[in-house]
Structure formats: structure tokens, C-alpha cells
Amino acid sequence: MRPLHRLFRIPPGLSLAVLLLALPLSAASDMLPSWRDTPTRQAIVDFVVATTTPNSAQYVPPAERIAVFDNDGTLWSEKPAYFQLMFALERVRALAPQHPEWKETEPFKSALAGDMAGLAAGGEHAVLELIMASHAGNTSEEFQAIVKDWLATARHPQTRRPFDQMIYAPMRELLDYLRANGYKTFIVSGGGVEFMRAFAERTYGIPPEQAIGSSIVTEYEVRDGKPVIVRLPKIDFIDDKAGKPVGIHKFIGRRPVMAFGNSDGDFQMLEWTTTGPGPRFGALVHHTDAEREYAYDRESPVGGLDRGLDEAPKRGWVLIDMARDWKRVYP
Amino acid sequence: MRPLHRLFRIPPGLSLAVLLLALPLSAASDMLPSWRDTPTRQAIVDFVVATTTPNSAQYVPPAERIAVFDNDGTLWSEKPAYFQLMFALERVRALAPQHPEWKETEPFKSALAGDMAGLAAGGEHAVLELIMASHAGNTSEEFQAIVKDWLATARHPQTRRPFDQMIYAPMRELLDYLRANGYKTFIVSGGGVEFMRAFAERTYGIPPEQAIGSSIVTEYEVRDGKPVIVRLPKIDFIDDKAGKPVGIHKFIGRRPVMAFGNSDGDFQMLEWTTTGPGPRFGALVHHTDAEREYAYDRESPVGGLDRGLDEAPKRGWVLIDMARDWKRVYP
């Protein structure tokens, strides 16, 4: 293939990347229209400019520009319950006719009755059982189709929007802005990786190979000459809390430069990111907006943010105040 | 950031990618100088041209252009033993003073005595024990440094070359050629992922997040306020045989378009790749070159190729005949 500099008469030795990086980055204002002009937005832009300007003391080579994002509560809403849990409940209802025993067995009985208190009483174990029953037993291709069907038809119980329209417009812009500056963007979420892969590319511009999440064990099988990946009812990896840096290490293999989360489940991810040498950036979306979204932090059973709120100032983590920093929440 | 078309006066609507793709691909001859002009090289180039030419019936959108490569025997040599095993043996020797008991315990006794027959007698279990003892018990950063030190000083027992100079020049060129055509290149190897990540970027241009391999369990720990990833002596994932499509699914999340291997350990990876819908390409490096490298296939205990050799013709897999197809083997 003809070298770029011959194509465009760029002086040899000056790569396209270098030329692009040398452009003034003021265009950030164009790329982040849903952000108000607050110190939060400025901190993000300053960091991106510093790490992408050649000869800057904080310059980070493109290959090392890794930015990681939690999903629930960071890229899209997570109330009144994780969207994936709502998917699991609907799936349990759809599968119930094949499982008459569920009418009498917990946690399915509560799930089918829509009894969230009953479900909650079963704790983490109940949720895991629901996830296994609703997420396993099919092939990866079948599961993708099921999630896509659900996304196309299901509606949020309060906003009546499709779930994938409850993503945060400012964060969606931030993903694009970072990518335009040579950052590779990853999701690092406690959510199921195959659930997220069903929409991450279309919704966030994040390809499947850059979505990291919790997973169940899969198996390769040749059925009547046709190879399939079969999903088994067995936990493979939980990508939450201290599991997040482990997941980052497993899937990315280098320490991110930027990390965005919203709850104490993201604490270790931000800690691992921001204690690395050189420039690092950590930020937490603080849900302060009861009017346009939800307001919750320390006491919330879903997306609780307590330790992070205490330690953010001394760790230099930016708090993104939804009510103050965002012009709009949803697209 | 200023759009590309304004920078280079490209008509708006015509992206740089489209322009590049529309260029004649005859330049392949420049990018594959270590390949002889045989039907093998032609098959590769034809496939790449067909899948990257817009309006071609076989066109594959850039996001789906995934090419996977086995490492041992496909990108670098694997004789007289896997290079990682030689690393493990040297590591056992280095650690022996701290383990006086190894002098009397197998497999360490054989390893320390350089008794490969004794080691082989212990089978897979012995090798796993060696790997655990030599690869675990440190942090990921320490381990990276150890592998890099080894690569800088160790020499192949027969060629006396550094191990990372025993990569195959034609395959190295192929990686570049595919990337220049919008393919994302991944390693999918039975080898240890952290071992490979210590050199894959420098040696193959493959970043850590595109290296998939076998792994041990790791744990996140904060030691005296400093977070580390600790390597535990416990197998996490074996990326071999039917584990390869599972690894591809886990880490990439979509089916590759091209797959390159060399042994029956790669069979399922090629099967999974080439049974997908649309254009697919599978190839096996056949070690036919006793003079410049090694000649082995069906009976070889390392890198055995038996079923693949039988089924390649009917599955349409290309056999890369090292002696016939490559002008040179090493860089």
C-alpha cells in the first residue's frame, strides 16, 4: 500500500497521527455539547490535551491510551434495578412454561410474582440462580439474538424508553471525544459480557473485543457438523470490585490511563488506574439529579457510592456532578 | 478536531479509509517480500483483496476484520521444545537455591538435571507443576521484567539466536500486510498470555490487549498502599484445542475471518473460523524445511499436525509449505 505521505504529500517522517495530534484541540467544545462549561469538563479536556500533545511533559504514546468505563450508572442508568436484572426477570417469565416447578421454587416464585422483596430476601445467591437459569442453556448466537429482541421491545418501567436510549448523552460524547484523541475505550462492568456485547458496538461504538464483564463458562461443541459456543450454568468470572483490576489485567494487560465509574464497585478500578506512574485520570459519576435521572449515593443498595465519595478528594478523582455538569442526561 | 477531508482536501463524504481501500492492492508484493510468488501467497492476497474491496461480493466491514494467529510454530519456532518451557527450566534453575527440596522431588529433580526424558515421563502434570513453580508467586510487573530479562540474554540451543529473533519473517510481514488492510491481528496461543505479552508488541506489533493465551489466576492486592496484581499457582484457562474457540469467544466476542495455525492444537480454531458464514480463510504452516528450520508433522510430540493435514484439502484450508513458499524463514 502506498505510504500516506506520498498520498497526501505529507513530509516523510511526519506521520498522519502526529499531524492530527498537533491540531488545536479546542474542537473539544464541538465534541462535548452535552457538557456544561464547568471545572469537570475542563479537567477532562485539560487531561486529554496534556496526554496527547507531543512534547508535553504528560504525553502518553497512542498505544498506551487506554480508557475504561463502568457501564451501569456510568454509561447508562441503573434504576430502579440493573437493566440486566429486568432482562433476567422477563426471560424467567418467558421460560416459565417449560419449568412448572418454578411456581413453587424460590427465587423463581418471587421472580414470577414480581415480588422484589422476596427476591431481595434470597440475596446474592437468588440473583445468581436467576441469572444462570435465564442466561445459560443456549448458544452464544442464540443468546445474542434474545438480548437484541429484548432491547428492541422492552421499555423502562418509569421513562417508557427503550433501555438503550437511557444511555448518558454526555458520556457517549466523551467516548467519541477520547477515541478522536487516540484513546482506546473499554467497558469494564460487573454486568454480563455477552449481554453488553449485544448492544455495546451499536450503542457506544465499543466493539465486542473491548467489552469486559462478568461471564459464565462456555464450551465449544460441534453439533451435527456445526460448531457452536454453548453457555453453561456456571460462573466463570465476576468483574466487580477487586475483580475489575483483575479483569483489566486479564483482558487488556496494561494499566489504563483513564477510568470512569460511579459506585464503590468501581473503587479498585480507579485505584489501580490512578496509582500507576505518569499521568492518570479517575472520575466518578455522582448521581445528584433527582429531576432528570435519579439521586443516590451512600445508602443506595444498587450503585452505592460511599468510600469513593470519601476518598475522591484525597485521591484526586473528579466527581462528575450530573445535575451541575450535564446540560442533558439522555440523548 | 478538524475533519480529515478539510485537512487533506478529500471530497467530503469520502473517508480516508475508503480512499485507502480503493487503492490498487498490488503493493502486496512490497509488503510480503519474504514470500515466494506461489499459489499460497496468491491465495492470501486474493482473499485480502476480495474482503477489503468495497462492492466486492466478499467485502467484510473493517470492524469484522479479525485475524487470529497461533504463536508457537506459527509465528516463531517451537523446536527442540516450546520456548516457554526453556524459560521455565531456566527459571527453575534460578529459583532452586530457595528450594533445596527440589533436588529430591520430581519434576524439579529432572528439570535441574536437564533430564528431558525424566521430565517427559512425568507427562502433562509434570509440565504444569514446573510452570506453576516458575511462573507464579510474583506480581505481574515482576514477571514481565523476568521474561524480558530472559529474552535479552537467553539463546536458542541450536541457532544461538535470541528467541525473539526466531520469529518467521514471512508471518511478521503478513501481520503488517493484514493490518495495513484494516485487519485487527490477535495471537491465540496455548502459551502463557503474560509470557507472550512481554514481547508481542515489540516483536509482532500486537498489543497486550490482542494477545490471548493460557493463564493462571491473578488477584488484586494493595501492599503497603501500592496496588499489585499477584500471580497465583492455579490454572485459570487453557487456551488450546477446543479452548481456542472458547478463548476467542471470551476475549474477542466475534468469529474471526482469518485463522493461522500449524498444529492439531489449532484445529478447532480453524474449524470455528472457517465454518462461519461469508468469506473465511484458514491456513496451516506446514513445517517442511529441515534445512532452514525443522521438518515435522504427524508424529511430532510438539506441534503435531495429523488431523489437520488430512482434513485441510476438504475444508479448503491452505497449507503453507515452509520450504516451498518462503524465501527466507528468519528475519
Side-chain angles (χ1 to χ4, degrees):
Chain A
M1 184 163 296
R2 215 177 302 169
L4 276 176
H5 62 82
R6 276 200 245 151
L7 248 185
F8 298 116
R9 302 178 180 282
I10 304 171
L14 248 195
S15 79
L16 179 64
V18 169
L19 273 183
L20 288 175
L21 291 172
L23 292 175
L25 282 155
S26 56
S29 54
D30 301 330
M31 296 201 70
L32 301 171
S34 300
W35 292 75
R36 292 206 183 98
D37 191 10
T38 63
T40 303
R41 184 184 165 290
Q42 200 54 49
I44 294 171
V45 172
D46 286 350
F47 184 86
V48 170
V49 171
T51 53
T52 57
T53 304
N55 304 322
S56 147
Q58 301 213 291
Y59 181 74
V60 174
E64 288 167 32
R65 291 183 204 157
I66 303 284
V68 291
F69 289 80
D70 169 59
N71 185 40
D72 297 303
T74 300
L75 294 179
W76 74 359
S77 290
E78 57 185 351
K79 295 279 180 180
Y82 293 128
F83 296 174
Q84 193 180 354
L85 181 60
M86 295 196 239
F87 164 76
L89 292 177
E90 185 166 313
R91 190 86 195 111
V92 164
R93 280 191 291 275
L95 292 170
Q98 299 158 47
H99 296 272
E101 74 282 8
W102 284 357
K103 276 185 208 148
E104 305 305 328
T105 332
E106 290 294 4
F108 304 101
K109 193 177 160 185
S110 297
L112 291 171
D115 173 5
M116 300 304 277
L119 256 186
E124 198 172 297
H125 181 74
V127 172
L128 279 182
E129 265 203 89
L130 275 189
I131 296 281
M132 291 307 156
S134 56
H135 284 60
N138 37 35
T139 69
S140 58
E141 283 175 16
E142 288 163 356
F143 185 74
Q144 289 287 305
I146 291 167
V147 177
K148 283 178 184 163
D149 280 354
W150 176 77
L151 279 172
T153 55
R155 293 292 178 270
H156 188 271
Q158 291 155 342
T159 66
R160 311 310 305 168
R161 280 172 175 251
F163 289 101
D164 56 1
Q165 287 178 28
M166 293 191 63
I167 63 167
Y168 304 135
M171 298 304 282
R172 182 66 186 78
E173 294 165 7
L174 178 57
L175 288 169
D176 280 337
Y177 170 62
L178 292 178
R179 289 192 287 256
N181 282 283
Y183 276 88
K184 205 163 172 178
T185 53
F186 287 80
I187 292 177
V188 178
S189 166
V193 65
E194 296 206 50
F195 178 77
M196 298 186 297
R197 282 175 176 166
F199 60 90
E201 188 158 35
R202 185 174 41 82
T203 306
Y204 302 130
I206 293 182
E209 65 270 24
Q210 285 161 229
I212 301 171
S214 298
S215 56
I216 57 178
V217 173
T218 62
E219 202 171 60
Y220 181 73
E221 212 183 290
V222 181
R223 289 181 177 170
D224 301 326
K226 191 181 174 295
V228 287
I229 303 282
V230 182
R231 295 167 52 78
L232 306 181
K234 191 180 165 204
I235 291 286
D236 176 43
F237 180 62
I238 300 284
D239 189 47
D240 197 27
K241 300 189 178 74
K244 290 205 175 195
V246 169
I248 288 169
H249 181 67
K250 202 196 223 344
F251 287 81
I252 306 179
R254 60 178 136 209
R255 212 187 274 221
V257 171
M258 305 184 83
F260 296 83
N262 79 299
S263 80
D264 283 348
D266 304 313
F267 190 91
Q268 288 86 350
M269 174 168 85
L270 265 72
E271 179 179 59
W272 174 239
T273 299
T274 59
T275 52
R280 306 280 162 170
F281 189 93
L284 290 163
V285 174
H286 190 190
H287 292 262
T288 52
D289 198 331
E291 204 170 308
R292 298 182 301 176
E293 205 237 8
Y294 300 93
Y296 58 95
D297 48 37
R298 295 184 191 276
E299 306 295 329
S300 178
V302 168
L305 178 67
D306 187 38
R307 185 179 175 196
L309 222 41
D310 288 337
E311 298 199 19
K314 68 176 179 234
R315 289 178 179 265
W317 298 347
V318 171
L319 285 174
I320 299 171
D321 183 321
M322 204 179 256
R324 181 196 61 193
D325 294 327
W326 290 358
K327 256 184 223 157
R328 55 175 188 165
V329 174
Y330 300 122
Chain B
M1 183 161 298
R2 213 176 305 171
L4 275 177
H5 62 80
R6 276 200 246 149
L7 246 185
F8 298 118
R9 304 173 180 284
I10 303 170
L14 247 193
S15 80
L16 179 64
V18 168
L19 272 183
L20 287 175
L21 291 173
L23 291 174
L25 281 155
S26 57
S29 54
D30 301 331
M31 295 202 69
L32 300 171
S34 300
W35 292 75
R36 293 205 182 99
D37 191 9
T38 63
T40 303
R41 183 183 166 290
Q42 199 55 48
I44 295 170
V45 172
D46 287 349
F47 185 85
V48 170
V49 171
T51 53
T52 57
T53 304
N55 303 323
S56 145
Q58 302 213 291
Y59 181 73
V60 174
E64 289 168 31
R65 290 183 204 156
I66 303 283
V68 291
F69 289 81
D70 168 58
N71 185 39
D72 298 302
T74 300
L75 294 180
W76 73 358
S77 290
E78 59 184 351
K79 296 281 181 180
Y82 292 129
F83 295 174
Q84 193 181 352
L85 181 60
M86 295 196 238
F87 164 76
L89 292 178
E90 184 166 313
R91 191 86 195 111
V92 165
R93 281 190 291 272
L95 293 170
Q98 299 157 49
H99 296 274
E101 75 281 8
W102 284 356
K103 276 185 207 148
E104 306 304 327
T105 332
E106 289 295 1
F108 305 100
K109 192 177 160 186
S110 297
L112 291 170
D115 173 6
M116 300 304 277
L119 256 186
E124 200 172 297
H125 181 73
V127 172
L128 279 181
E129 265 204 87
L130 276 189
I131 295 282
M132 291 307 155
S134 55
H135 285 59
N138 37 35
T139 69
S140 59
E141 283 175 15
E142 289 163 355
F143 185 73
Q144 289 287 305
I146 291 166
V147 176
K148 283 178 184 161
D149 281 353
W150 175 76
L151 278 172
T153 55
R155 294 292 178 270
H156 187 272
Q158 290 157 341
T159 66
R160 311 310 306 167
R161 278 172 177 250
F163 288 102
D164 57 1
Q165 287 177 28
M166 292 190 65
I167 62 168
Y168 304 135
M171 298 304 283
R172 183 67 186 77
E173 294 163 7
L174 178 56
L175 288 168
D176 280 336
Y177 171 63
L178 292 178
R179 289 192 288 254
N181 283 281
Y183 275 88
K184 206 164 172 179
T185 54
F186 287 81
I187 292 176
V188 178
S189 166
V193 65
E194 296 206 49
F195 178 77
M196 297 187 298
R197 281 174 175 166
F199 62 89
E201 189 156 37
R202 186 173 42 81
T203 307
Y204 303 130
I206 294 181
E209 65 270 24
Q210 286 162 224
I212 301 169
S214 298
S215 55
I216 58 179
V217 173
T218 62
E219 203 172 60
Y220 181 72
E221 212 183 291
V222 181
R223 289 183 178 167
D224 302 324
K226 191 182 174 292
V228 286
I229 303 282
V230 183
R231 296 167 52 77
L232 306 181
K234 190 179 165 205
I235 291 286
D236 175 43
F237 179 61
I238 301 284
D239 189 48
D240 197 28
K241 300 189 178 73
K244 290 204 173 195
V246 169
I248 287 169
H249 181 67
K250 199 196 226 344
F251 288 82
I252 306 179
R254 62 179 136 208
R255 212 186 274 220
V257 172
M258 304 183 84
F260 295 84
N262 79 298
S263 80
D264 283 347
D266 303 313
F267 190 91
Q268 287 87 350
M269 173 168 86
L270 265 73
E271 179 179 60
W272 174 240
T273 300
T274 59
T275 51
R280 307 280 162 170
F281 189 93
L284 290 163
V285 174
H286 190 189
H287 293 263
T288 50
D289 198 331
E291 203 170 308
R292 298 182 300 178
E293 205 238 7
Y294 301 92
Y296 58 96
D297 48 38
R298 297 183 189 273
E299 306 296 330
S300 178
V302 168
L305 178 65
D306 187 36
R307 186 180 173 195
L309 221 41
D310 288 337
E311 298 200 16
K314 66 176 180 237
R315 289 177 178 266
W317 297 347
V318 171
L319 285 174
I320 299 171
D321 183 321
M322 202 178 257
R324 183 196 60 194
D325 294 327
W326 289 358
K327 256 183 223 158
R328 54 177 189 165
V329 173
Y330 300 123

